[in-house]
Amino acid sequence: MGENVLRKLPLLLRLFLPRTCKVSTIGVFVCNTLKTMKKRELIQAVATHTDVDNKTAAKLVEGTIDVILANVAKGEIVNISGFAKFAKIKRPARMARNPATGEQIKVKAKTVAKITALKGFKDIALGVAAAPKVNTVRKAAPAPAKKAPAKKAPAKKAPAKKAPAKKAPAKKVVKKAVKKK
């Protein structure tokens, strides 16, 4: 093939690759086939797994996130054993080097958020331990038991009072006289 066709080959292949795949500058195809779970999907999965309705699951997920954020904002460390540790870290001021010029510069002190994956999460993510079983189908709701209809005493109805209906005045019909020739 000619050089011109080889240069256009990655462009042509991009048309046929899924959007998650990209062609790097050296012609290597990089495809991200992992699915990203959004917050709404997480809420749906929690609702299905715990067999509650979506509103309750949304309140639980939102509440958990709010509690974690509030405690980290106060400076506390939130440790969910087997999952992750959330912390607010204060980094002191320091001297650093500009890699382009080699000049030493001063970096200001700053506060950063740090999330550390703990051993239980790492083991499951790396395949060392088996992932927990997740319910993906809701349990069928048991049929409500038939109850015998309760006998109720007939309710006494008060007689309805109706206002007398007013009649519209009748229209007079006028006949036209027909002229005879």
Side-chain angles (χ1 to χ4, degrees):
M1 287 197 238
E3 286 183 31
N4 201 15
V5 174
L6 287 175
R7 284 188 204 145
K8 291 182 181 178
L9 186 61
L11 294 173
L12 293 172
L13 289 174
R14 285 184 198 166
L15 297 173
F16 300 106
L17 291 174
R19 288 182 181 229
T20 57
C21 294
K22 296 187 176 162
V23 181
S24 68
T25 54
I26 58 172
V28 177
F29 296 102
V30 180
C31 293
N32 182 9
T33 57
L34 298 176
K35 183 181 177 216
T36 304
M37 180 180 267
K38 306 280 193 268
K39 190 176 189 181
R40 181 178 292 155
E41 294 166 348
L42 175 66
I43 290 170
Q44 180 67 36
V46 168
T48 304
H49 182 68
T50 58
D51 199 27
V52 296
D53 60 315
N54 286 352
K55 284 186 179 182
T56 305
K59 286 181 183 179
L60 292 172
V61 171
E62 296 280 340
T64 303
I65 292 170
D66 289 344
V67 169
I68 291 171
L69 292 175
N71 286 329
V72 170
K74 287 191 277 184
E76 297 178 12
I77 296 174
V78 178
N79 188 2
I80 303 174
S81 62
F83 180 63
K85 181 168 77 171
F86 303 88
K88 179 177 170 181
I89 306 293
K90 292 182 180 178
R91 292 192 178 160
R94 61 188 173 90
M95 293 300 291
R97 187 177 302 272
N98 183 343
T101 62
E103 177 188 357
Q104 283 205 348
I105 56 172
K106 186 173 182 179
V107 178
K108 294 180 183 178
K110 62 182 176 179
T111 304
V112 295
K114 184 175 180 184
I115 302 172
T116 307
L118 298 180
K119 184 175 180 353
F121 179 79
K122 288 179 185 178
D123 288 347
I124 291 171
L126 298 174
V128 175
K133 300 288 182 193
V134 178
N135 295 335
T136 56
V137 180
R138 286 188 184 246
K139 296 177 184 175
K146 291 184 178 179
K147 295 182 180 179
K151 293 183 180 179
K152 294 183 181 178
K156 294 181 181 179
K157 295 183 180 179
K161 293 182 181 178
K162 293 184 179 179
K166 293 182 181 178
K167 292 184 180 179
K171 292 184 180 178
K172 294 181 182 179
V173 178
V174 179
K175 291 185 180 179
K176 293 185 179 179
V178 179
K179 291 185 182 178
K180 291 184 183 179
K181 289 187 180 183

